[in-house]
Amino acid sequence: MRLSERARLKLDSLLPAPLGYRLDLLRPLRFYGGPMNGQGARQRLVRELMRAVAFDEIVETGTYRGVTTTFLSDVSGLPVHTAEVSPRYVRYARVRCATHPSVTVHHRDSRDLLRELAARPGAPTLFCYLDAHWGEDVPRHDELRIIHARWPRAVVMIDDFQVHDDPGYAYTRYGGAPLNLDYLPELPGWRPFYPATRAAAETGDRRGCLVLATAALAPAVAALDGLRPAGRHLVPTPAT
Protein backbone atom coordinates (compact mmCIF):
# COMPACT_ATOMS: atom_id res chain seq x y z
CA MET A 1 0.00 0.00 0.00
CA ARG A 2 1.41 3.40 -0.97
CA LEU A 3 2.20 6.01 1.68
CA SER A 4 -0.47 8.36 0.31
CA GLU A 5 -3.10 5.61 0.58
CA ARG A 6 -2.08 4.76 4.14
CA ALA A 7 -2.28 8.45 5.06
CA ARG A 8 -5.75 8.74 3.53
CA LEU A 9 -7.00 5.70 5.43
CA LYS A 10 -5.53 7.04 8.67
CA LEU A 11 -7.22 10.40 8.25
CA ASP A 12 -10.44 8.70 7.22
CA SER A 13 -10.43 6.61 10.42
CA LEU A 14 -10.12 9.75 12.56
CA LEU A 15 -13.32 11.31 11.28
CA PRO A 16 -16.10 11.55 13.89
CA ALA A 17 -18.88 9.01 13.39
CA PRO A 18 -21.61 11.51 12.32
CA LEU A 19 -19.34 12.73 9.50
CA GLY A 20 -17.58 9.47 8.69
CA TYR A 21 -20.68 7.40 8.00
CA ARG A 22 -22.04 10.09 5.66
CA LEU A 23 -18.80 9.93 3.72
CA ASP A 24 -19.12 6.15 3.60
CA LEU A 25 -22.60 6.42 2.11
CA LEU A 26 -21.22 8.49 -0.80
CA ARG A 27 -18.92 5.68 -1.88
CA PRO A 28 -20.18 3.03 -4.29
CA LEU A 29 -21.15 -0.22 -2.59
CA ARG A 30 -18.54 -2.17 -4.55
CA PHE A 31 -15.93 -0.16 -2.60
CA TYR A 32 -16.61 -2.48 0.34
CA GLY A 33 -16.55 -5.76 -1.59
CA GLY A 34 -19.32 -8.32 -1.77
CA PRO A 35 -20.87 -10.40 1.02
CA MET A 36 -18.65 -12.98 2.68
CA ASN A 37 -15.52 -11.16 1.41
CA GLY A 38 -16.85 -11.42 -2.14
CA GLN A 39 -16.31 -15.21 -2.04
CA GLY A 40 -18.73 -17.00 -4.34
CA ALA A 41 -18.17 -20.49 -2.95
CA ARG A 42 -18.68 -19.21 0.61
CA GLN A 43 -21.97 -17.63 -0.45
CA ARG A 44 -23.10 -20.90 -2.06
CA LEU A 45 -22.16 -22.75 1.12
CA VAL A 46 -24.36 -20.47 3.22
CA ARG A 47 -27.28 -21.02 0.85
CA GLU A 48 -26.68 -24.77 1.12
CA LEU A 49 -26.74 -24.56 4.92
CA MET A 50 -29.99 -22.60 4.86
CA ARG A 51 -31.62 -25.31 2.75
CA ALA A 52 -30.30 -28.17 4.86
CA VAL A 53 -31.14 -26.88 8.35
CA ALA A 54 -34.38 -25.29 9.55
CA PHE A 55 -32.82 -22.35 11.38
CA ASP A 56 -34.98 -20.00 13.45
CA GLU A 57 -32.67 -16.99 13.53
CA ILE A 58 -29.22 -15.70 12.66
CA VAL A 59 -26.64 -13.85 14.74
CA GLU A 60 -23.73 -12.02 13.13
CA THR A 61 -20.89 -10.58 15.18
CA GLY A 62 -19.01 -7.74 13.51
CA THR A 63 -21.46 -5.89 11.26
CA TYR A 64 -18.91 -3.62 9.55
CA ARG A 65 -20.77 -2.21 6.50
CA GLY A 66 -23.75 -4.55 6.63
CA VAL A 67 -22.99 -6.17 3.27
CA THR A 68 -22.92 -9.70 4.66
CA THR A 69 -25.78 -8.78 7.01
CA THR A 70 -28.22 -8.06 4.19
CA PHE A 71 -27.02 -11.13 2.31
CA LEU A 72 -27.86 -13.32 5.32
CA SER A 73 -31.31 -11.74 5.49
CA ASP A 74 -31.93 -12.17 1.76
CA VAL A 75 -30.91 -15.84 1.57
CA SER A 76 -32.70 -16.93 4.74
CA GLY A 77 -35.75 -14.72 5.25
CA LEU A 78 -35.03 -15.05 8.99
CA PRO A 79 -34.54 -12.53 11.80
CA VAL A 80 -30.92 -11.38 11.81
CA HIS A 81 -29.28 -9.87 14.90
CA THR A 82 -25.95 -8.21 14.20
CA ALA A 83 -23.56 -6.65 16.73
CA GLU A 84 -21.07 -3.84 16.08
CA VAL A 85 -19.11 -1.64 18.52
CA SER A 86 -17.99 1.09 16.08
CA PRO A 87 -20.45 4.02 16.13
CA ARG A 88 -19.53 4.88 12.54
CA TYR A 89 -20.20 1.39 11.22
CA VAL A 90 -23.42 1.14 13.21
CA ARG A 91 -24.76 4.35 11.69
CA TYR A 92 -23.83 3.24 8.20
CA ALA A 93 -25.23 -0.28 8.63
CA ARG A 94 -28.53 0.99 9.99
CA VAL A 95 -29.00 3.06 6.85
CA ARG A 96 -27.96 0.20 4.59
CA CYS A 97 -30.20 -2.31 6.40
CA ALA A 98 -33.24 -0.03 6.58
CA THR A 99 -34.84 -1.90 3.68
CA HIS A 100 -34.51 -5.19 5.60
CA PRO A 101 -37.01 -5.05 8.48
CA SER A 102 -35.91 -8.47 9.76
CA VAL A 103 -32.42 -7.10 10.53
CA THR A 104 -31.64 -5.53 13.91
CA VAL A 105 -28.31 -3.70 14.17
CA HIS A 106 -27.15 -3.67 17.79
CA HIS A 107 -24.58 -1.12 18.93
CA ARG A 108 -22.95 -3.31 21.54
CA ASP A 109 -20.35 -5.95 22.29
CA SER A 110 -21.17 -9.28 20.65
CA ARG A 111 -20.82 -11.15 23.94
CA ASP A 112 -23.44 -8.95 25.58
CA LEU A 113 -25.80 -9.51 22.66
CA LEU A 114 -25.36 -13.29 22.83
CA ARG A 115 -25.97 -13.29 26.59
CA GLU A 116 -29.15 -11.26 26.10
CA LEU A 117 -30.44 -13.62 23.41
CA ALA A 118 -29.47 -16.62 25.52
CA ALA A 119 -31.64 -15.36 28.39
CA ARG A 120 -34.84 -15.70 26.36
CA PRO A 121 -37.08 -18.74 26.81
CA GLY A 122 -37.21 -21.50 24.21
CA ALA A 123 -34.52 -23.27 22.23
CA PRO A 124 -34.29 -21.79 18.73
CA THR A 125 -32.01 -23.34 16.13
CA LEU A 126 -29.23 -20.83 15.53
CA PHE A 127 -26.90 -19.94 12.68
CA CYS A 128 -24.07 -17.70 13.83
CA TYR A 129 -21.50 -15.90 11.68
CA LEU A 130 -18.53 -14.83 13.78
CA ASP A 131 -16.44 -12.00 12.37
CA ALA A 132 -15.95 -9.63 15.32
CA HIS A 133 -12.44 -8.43 16.07
CA TRP A 134 -11.88 -5.06 17.71
CA GLY A 135 -8.18 -4.36 17.96
CA GLU A 136 -6.64 -6.61 20.60
CA ASP A 137 -10.05 -7.67 21.88
CA VAL A 138 -11.04 -10.84 20.04
CA PRO A 139 -14.23 -12.25 21.59
CA ARG A 140 -14.12 -15.62 19.80
CA HIS A 141 -13.60 -17.77 22.92
CA ASP A 142 -16.36 -16.08 24.88
CA GLU A 143 -18.77 -16.12 21.92
CA LEU A 144 -18.31 -19.87 21.43
CA ARG A 145 -18.63 -20.65 25.13
CA ILE A 146 -21.91 -18.71 25.34
CA ILE A 147 -23.30 -20.47 22.26
CA HIS A 148 -22.18 -23.89 23.49
CA ALA A 149 -23.80 -23.37 26.90
CA ARG A 150 -27.15 -22.22 25.56
CA TRP A 151 -27.89 -23.53 22.05
CA PRO A 152 -27.88 -27.33 21.60
CA ARG A 153 -28.89 -26.84 17.96
CA ALA A 154 -26.42 -24.44 16.38
CA VAL A 155 -24.16 -24.03 13.38
CA VAL A 156 -21.34 -21.50 13.63
CA MET A 157 -19.23 -20.14 10.75
CA ILE A 158 -15.97 -18.40 11.69
CA ASP A 159 -14.36 -16.06 9.17
CA ASP A 160 -10.59 -15.52 8.70
CA PHE A 161 -9.82 -19.08 9.85
CA GLN A 162 -6.72 -21.05 8.96
CA VAL A 163 -7.45 -24.04 6.70
CA HIS A 164 -4.37 -25.99 7.67
CA ASP A 165 -4.11 -28.11 4.52
CA ASP A 166 -4.81 -25.30 2.05
CA PRO A 167 -2.32 -22.41 2.35
CA GLY A 168 -4.11 -20.52 -0.43
CA TYR A 169 -6.69 -19.39 2.12
CA ALA A 170 -5.71 -16.28 4.09
CA TYR A 171 -6.31 -16.14 7.81
CA THR A 172 -5.88 -13.92 10.85
CA ARG A 173 -3.36 -14.03 13.69
CA TYR A 174 -4.10 -12.81 17.18
CA GLY A 175 -1.13 -12.12 19.43
CA GLY A 176 1.05 -13.92 16.91
CA ALA A 177 -1.05 -17.10 17.04
CA PRO A 178 -3.06 -18.19 13.99
CA LEU A 179 -6.82 -18.45 14.27
CA ASN A 180 -7.06 -22.23 13.93
CA LEU A 181 -8.43 -25.31 15.71
CA ASP A 182 -5.86 -25.00 18.49
CA TYR A 183 -7.09 -21.47 19.24
CA LEU A 184 -10.65 -22.59 20.04
CA PRO A 185 -12.09 -23.56 23.44
CA GLU A 186 -13.20 -27.11 24.13
CA LEU A 187 -16.62 -27.77 22.61
CA PRO A 188 -17.67 -31.32 23.56
CA GLY A 189 -19.63 -33.08 20.82
CA TRP A 190 -19.19 -30.34 18.21
CA ARG A 191 -17.86 -31.24 14.74
CA PRO A 192 -15.54 -28.94 12.71
CA PHE A 193 -15.64 -28.64 8.92
CA TYR A 194 -13.56 -26.85 6.29
CA PRO A 195 -14.87 -25.58 2.95
CA ALA A 196 -14.73 -28.27 0.28
CA THR A 197 -13.81 -25.65 -2.33
CA ARG A 198 -10.07 -25.19 -2.56
CA ALA A 199 -8.72 -21.65 -2.38
CA ALA A 200 -7.57 -21.76 -6.01
CA ALA A 201 -11.19 -22.20 -7.10
CA GLU A 202 -12.60 -19.54 -4.75
CA THR A 203 -13.25 -15.91 -5.69
CA GLY A 204 -12.98 -12.64 -3.79
CA ASP A 205 -10.54 -12.27 -0.90
CA ARG A 206 -10.07 -16.03 -0.40
CA ARG A 207 -10.28 -15.90 3.38
CA GLY A 208 -10.47 -19.24 5.16
CA CYS A 209 -13.39 -20.29 7.31
CA LEU A 210 -14.44 -22.99 9.74
CA VAL A 211 -17.95 -24.34 10.19
CA LEU A 212 -18.86 -25.84 13.56
CA ALA A 213 -21.96 -27.92 14.20
CA THR A 214 -23.38 -29.09 17.50
CA ALA A 215 -23.97 -32.81 17.90
CA ALA A 216 -27.66 -32.49 17.04
CA LEU A 217 -26.95 -30.85 13.67
CA ALA A 218 -23.62 -32.45 12.75
CA PRO A 219 -25.13 -35.25 10.60
CA ALA A 220 -27.04 -32.78 8.42
CA VAL A 221 -24.01 -30.52 8.06
CA ALA A 222 -21.65 -33.42 7.31
CA ALA A 223 -23.84 -34.40 4.35
CA LEU A 224 -23.33 -31.08 2.55
CA ASP A 225 -21.28 -31.03 -0.64
CA GLY A 226 -19.76 -27.67 0.26
CA LEU A 227 -18.00 -28.95 3.38
CA ARG A 228 -15.41 -31.56 4.37
CA PRO A 229 -14.33 -32.74 7.84
CA ALA A 230 -11.60 -30.64 9.42
CA GLY A 231 -9.93 -33.79 10.67
CA ARG A 232 -11.03 -34.29 14.23
CA HIS A 233 -13.61 -33.58 16.92
CA LEU A 234 -12.77 -30.56 19.03
CA VAL A 235 -12.72 -32.87 22.03
CA PRO A 236 -13.93 -36.46 22.31
CA THR A 237 -17.66 -36.75 22.93
CA PRO A 238 -18.09 -37.82 26.57
CA ALA A 239 -19.09 -41.46 27.02
CA THR A 240 -22.62 -42.08 28.21
Side-chain angles (χ1 to χ4, degrees):
M1 184 182 294
R2 293 178 300 176
L3 179 60
S4 59
E5 178 65 9
R6 290 199 297 269
R8 185 193 68 78
L9 291 173
K10 178 64 174 178
L11 290 172
D12 188 57
S13 69
L14 296 175
L15 291 173
L19 177 60
Y21 96 94
R22 289 186 172 91
L23 176 62
D24 296 339
L25 290 170
L26 295 175
R27 292 169 173 150
L29 191 58
R30 65 179 182 275
F31 184 85
Y32 304 114
M36 306 274 166
N37 313 309
Q39 295 178 213
R42 175 93 63 90
Q43 295 167 28
R44 291 191 294 274
L45 172 57
V46 170
R47 291 188 176 95
E48 192 178 12
L49 281 164
M50 294 301 144
R51 291 191 297 267
V53 179
F55 294 107
D56 295 306
E57 63 184 353
I58 295 174
V59 174
E60 176 193 32
T61 70
T63 313
Y64 190 46
R65 306 293 185 178
V67 180
T68 294
T69 314
T70 53
F71 168 78
L72 290 170
S73 174
D74 290 338
V75 301
S76 71
L78 297 172
V80 178
H81 295 274
T82 181
E84 176 59 58
V85 297
S86 165
R88 176 172 175 172
Y89 298 157
V90 167
R91 287 171 181 253
Y92 177 92
R94 283 177 174 164
V95 173
R96 171 159 175 73
C97 296
T99 56
H100 291 69
S102 65
V103 172
T104 304
V105 181
H106 300 263
H107 184 194
R108 63 192 310 186
D109 187 289
S110 60
R111 292 160 288 202
D112 292 337
L113 173 60
L114 284 167
R115 291 187 186 103
E116 178 184 301
L117 296 175
R120 301 170 304 172
T125 300
L126 179 72
F127 178 76
C128 200
Y129 186 71
L130 303 185
D131 193 23
H133 40 81
W134 304 302
E136 296 301 316
D137 182 13
V138 182
R140 206 69 68 242
H141 271 92
D142 293 335
E143 291 170 339
L144 287 169
R145 288 192 182 103
I146 295 166
I147 296 167
H148 173 64
R150 176 61 181 84
W151 283 276
R153 295 177 58 83
V155 174
V156 176
M157 179 178 284
I158 305 176
D159 190 26
D160 299 319
F161 204 89
Q162 183 183 27
V163 179
H164 76 271
D165 59 357
D166 191 343
Y169 276 117
Y171 58 92
T172 294
R173 291 179 176 271
Y174 298 124
L179 179 57
N180 59 20
L181 291 172
D182 293 330
Y183 186 92
L184 302 180
E186 291 188 352
L187 300 167
W190 289 45
R191 293 273 307 279
F193 301 89
Y194 288 146
T197 300
R198 294 293 175 172
E202 179 60 285
T203 59
D205 290 346
R206 295 187 173 93
R207 308 292 297 180
C209 78
L210 182 76
V211 173
L212 299 168
T214 59
L217 297 181
V221 173
L224 300 183
D225 292 337
L227 291 171
R228 59 189 175 91
R232 60 180 174 88
H233 291 264
L234 294 178
V235 299
T237 303
T240 56

PDB file of all heavy atoms in Angstrom, residues 82-94:
ATOM      1  N   THR A  82     -27.348  -8.449  14.502  1.00  0.00           N
ATOM      2  CA  THR A  82     -25.947  -8.209  14.199  1.00  0.00           C
ATOM      3  C   THR A  82     -25.382  -7.196  15.177  1.00  0.00           C
ATOM      4  O   THR A  82     -26.030  -6.197  15.498  1.00  0.00           O
ATOM      5  CB  THR A  82     -25.764  -7.745  12.734  1.00  0.00           C
ATOM      6  OG1 THR A  82     -24.368  -7.547  12.460  1.00  0.00           O
ATOM      7  CG2 THR A  82     -26.525  -6.465  12.438  1.00  0.00           C
ATOM      8  N   ALA A  83     -24.187  -7.464  15.692  1.00  0.00           N
ATOM      9  CA  ALA A  83     -23.563  -6.646  16.727  1.00  0.00           C
ATOM     10  C   ALA A  83     -22.331  -5.940  16.186  1.00  0.00           C
ATOM     11  O   ALA A  83     -21.497  -6.548  15.508  1.00  0.00           O
ATOM     12  CB  ALA A  83     -23.172  -7.513  17.924  1.00  0.00           C
ATOM     13  N   GLU A  84     -22.202  -4.653  16.520  1.00  0.00           N
ATOM     14  CA  GLU A  84     -21.068  -3.844  16.078  1.00  0.00           C
ATOM     15  C   GLU A  84     -20.762  -2.809  17.167  1.00  0.00           C
ATOM     16  O   GLU A  84     -21.686  -2.193  17.705  1.00  0.00           O
ATOM     17  CB  GLU A  84     -21.382  -3.149  14.757  1.00  0.00           C
ATOM     18  CG  GLU A  84     -20.319  -2.210  14.240  1.00  0.00           C
ATOM     19  CD  GLU A  84     -18.977  -2.883  14.022  1.00  0.00           C
ATOM     20  OE1 GLU A  84     -18.916  -3.853  13.233  1.00  0.00           O
ATOM     21  OE2 GLU A  84     -18.000  -2.446  14.654  1.00  0.00           O
ATOM     22  N   VAL A  85     -19.479  -2.611  17.485  1.00  0.00           N
ATOM     23  CA  VAL A  85     -19.111  -1.645  18.519  1.00  0.00           C
ATOM     24  C   VAL A  85     -18.729  -0.280  17.958  1.00  0.00           C
ATOM     25  O   VAL A  85     -18.718   0.709  18.688  1.00  0.00           O
ATOM     26  CB  VAL A  85     -17.967  -2.178  19.402  1.00  0.00           C
ATOM     27  CG1 VAL A  85     -18.394  -3.417  20.155  1.00  0.00           C
ATOM     28  CG2 VAL A  85     -16.715  -2.436  18.590  1.00  0.00           C
ATOM     29  N   SER A  86     -18.400  -0.187  16.666  1.00  0.00           N
ATOM     30  CA  SER A  86     -17.994   1.089  16.080  1.00  0.00           C
ATOM     31  C   SER A  86     -19.212   1.961  15.802  1.00  0.00           C
ATOM     32  O   SER A  86     -20.091   1.571  15.025  1.00  0.00           O
ATOM     33  CB  SER A  86     -17.234   0.851  14.765  1.00  0.00           C
ATOM     34  OG  SER A  86     -17.139   2.047  14.013  1.00  0.00           O
ATOM     35  N   PRO A  87     -19.307   3.152  16.397  1.00  0.00           N
ATOM     36  CA  PRO A  87     -20.449   4.022  16.129  1.00  0.00           C
ATOM     37  C   PRO A  87     -20.596   4.370  14.642  1.00  0.00           C
ATOM     38  O   PRO A  87     -21.714   4.453  14.130  1.00  0.00           O
ATOM     39  CB  PRO A  87     -20.155   5.278  16.953  1.00  0.00           C
ATOM     40  CG  PRO A  87     -19.211   4.821  18.014  1.00  0.00           C
ATOM     41  CD  PRO A  87     -18.378   3.742  17.384  1.00  0.00           C
ATOM     42  N   ARG A  88     -19.486   4.538  13.973  1.00  0.00           N
ATOM     43  CA  ARG A  88     -19.530   4.884  12.543  1.00  0.00           C
ATOM     44  C   ARG A  88     -20.132   3.756  11.732  1.00  0.00           C
ATOM     45  O   ARG A  88     -21.025   3.968  10.905  1.00  0.00           O
ATOM     46  CB  ARG A  88     -18.115   5.199  12.060  1.00  0.00           C
ATOM     47  CG  ARG A  88     -18.008   5.479  10.567  1.00  0.00           C
ATOM     48  CD  ARG A  88     -16.612   5.959  10.244  1.00  0.00           C
ATOM     49  NE  ARG A  88     -16.386   6.146   8.822  1.00  0.00           N
ATOM     50  CZ  ARG A  88     -15.292   6.712   8.308  1.00  0.00           C
ATOM     51  NH1 ARG A  88     -14.346   7.145   9.122  1.00  0.00           N
ATOM     52  NH2 ARG A  88     -15.143   6.845   7.002  1.00  0.00           N
ATOM     53  N   TYR A  89     -19.673   2.523  11.971  1.00  0.00           N
ATOM     54  CA  TYR A  89     -20.199   1.391  11.216  1.00  0.00           C
ATOM     55  C   TYR A  89     -21.663   1.121  11.567  1.00  0.00           C
ATOM     56  O   TYR A  89     -22.449   0.709  10.709  1.00  0.00           O
ATOM     57  CB  TYR A  89     -19.353   0.149  11.472  1.00  0.00           C
ATOM     58  CG  TYR A  89     -17.909   0.266  11.034  1.00  0.00           C
ATOM     59  CD1 TYR A  89     -16.911  -0.529  11.595  1.00  0.00           C
ATOM     60  CD2 TYR A  89     -17.532   1.189  10.055  1.00  0.00           C
ATOM     61  CE1 TYR A  89     -15.593  -0.420  11.194  1.00  0.00           C
ATOM     62  CE2 TYR A  89     -16.218   1.308   9.660  1.00  0.00           C
ATOM     63  CZ  TYR A  89     -15.247   0.503  10.231  1.00  0.00           C
ATOM     64  OH  TYR A  89     -13.938   0.614   9.837  1.00  0.00           O
ATOM     65  N   VAL A  90     -22.020   1.339  12.824  1.00  0.00           N
ATOM     66  CA  VAL A  90     -23.416   1.136  13.214  1.00  0.00           C
ATOM     67  C   VAL A  90     -24.326   2.104  12.463  1.00  0.00           C
ATOM     68  O   VAL A  90     -25.374   1.707  11.933  1.00  0.00           O
ATOM     69  CB  VAL A  90     -23.582   1.308  14.738  1.00  0.00           C
ATOM     70  CG1 VAL A  90     -25.059   1.422  15.115  1.00  0.00           C
ATOM     71  CG2 VAL A  90     -22.954   0.135  15.471  1.00  0.00           C
ATOM     72  N   ARG A  91     -23.948   3.359  12.404  1.00  0.00           N
ATOM     73  CA  ARG A  91     -24.765   4.352  11.692  1.00  0.00           C
ATOM     74  C   ARG A  91     -24.905   3.982  10.217  1.00  0.00           C
ATOM     75  O   ARG A  91     -25.996   4.050   9.647  1.00  0.00           O
ATOM     76  CB  ARG A  91     -24.132   5.745  11.828  1.00  0.00           C
ATOM     77  CG  ARG A  91     -24.285   6.372  13.205  1.00  0.00           C
ATOM     78  CD  ARG A  91     -23.446   7.642  13.302  1.00  0.00           C
ATOM     79  NE  ARG A  91     -23.535   8.259  14.612  1.00  0.00           N
ATOM     80  CZ  ARG A  91     -24.203   9.376  14.875  1.00  0.00           C
ATOM     81  NH1 ARG A  91     -24.859   9.988  13.914  1.00  0.00           N
ATOM     82  NH2 ARG A  91     -24.218   9.889  16.090  1.00  0.00           N
ATOM     83  N   TYR A  92     -23.787   3.609   9.614  1.00  0.00           N
ATOM     84  CA  TYR A  92     -23.827   3.235   8.198  1.00  0.00           C
ATOM     85  C   TYR A  92     -24.706   2.006   7.994  1.00  0.00           C
ATOM     86  O   TYR A  92     -25.560   1.972   7.103  1.00  0.00           O
ATOM     87  CB  TYR A  92     -22.409   2.959   7.693  1.00  0.00           C
ATOM     88  CG  TYR A  92     -22.358   2.497   6.253  1.00  0.00           C
ATOM     89  CD1 TYR A  92     -22.206   3.417   5.221  1.00  0.00           C
ATOM     90  CD2 TYR A  92     -22.480   1.153   5.920  1.00  0.00           C
ATOM     91  CE1 TYR A  92     -22.170   3.000   3.890  1.00  0.00           C
ATOM     92  CE2 TYR A  92     -22.452   0.728   4.601  1.00  0.00           C
ATOM     93  CZ  TYR A  92     -22.294   1.654   3.595  1.00  0.00           C
ATOM     94  OH  TYR A  92     -22.271   1.238   2.291  1.00  0.00           O
ATOM     95  N   ALA A  93     -24.498   0.980   8.811  1.00  0.00           N
ATOM     96  CA  ALA A  93     -25.226  -0.282   8.629  1.00  0.00           C
ATOM     97  C   ALA A  93     -26.723  -0.097   8.841  1.00  0.00           C
ATOM     98  O   ALA A  93     -27.533  -0.742   8.160  1.00  0.00           O
ATOM     99  CB  ALA A  93     -24.685  -1.340   9.580  1.00  0.00           C
ATOM    100  N   ARG A  94     -27.104   0.762   9.761  1.00  0.00           N
ATOM    101  CA  ARG A  94     -28.532   0.986   9.988  1.00  0.00           C
ATOM    102  C   ARG A  94     -29.197   1.627   8.774  1.00  0.00           C
ATOM    103  O   ARG A  94     -30.345   1.316   8.454  1.00  0.00           O
ATOM    104  CB  ARG A  94     -28.738   1.826  11.243  1.00  0.00           C
ATOM    105  CG  ARG A  94     -28.556   1.011  12.525  1.00  0.00           C
ATOM    106  CD  ARG A  94     -28.681   1.831  13.775  1.00  0.00           C
ATOM    107  NE  ARG A  94     -28.647   0.962  14.960  1.00  0.00           N
ATOM    108  CZ  ARG A  94     -28.435   1.382  16.190  1.00  0.00           C
ATOM    109  NH1 ARG A  94     -28.233   2.683  16.425  1.00  0.00           N
ATOM    110  NH2 ARG A  94     -28.418   0.528  17.193  1.00  0.00           N
TER     111      ARG A  94
END
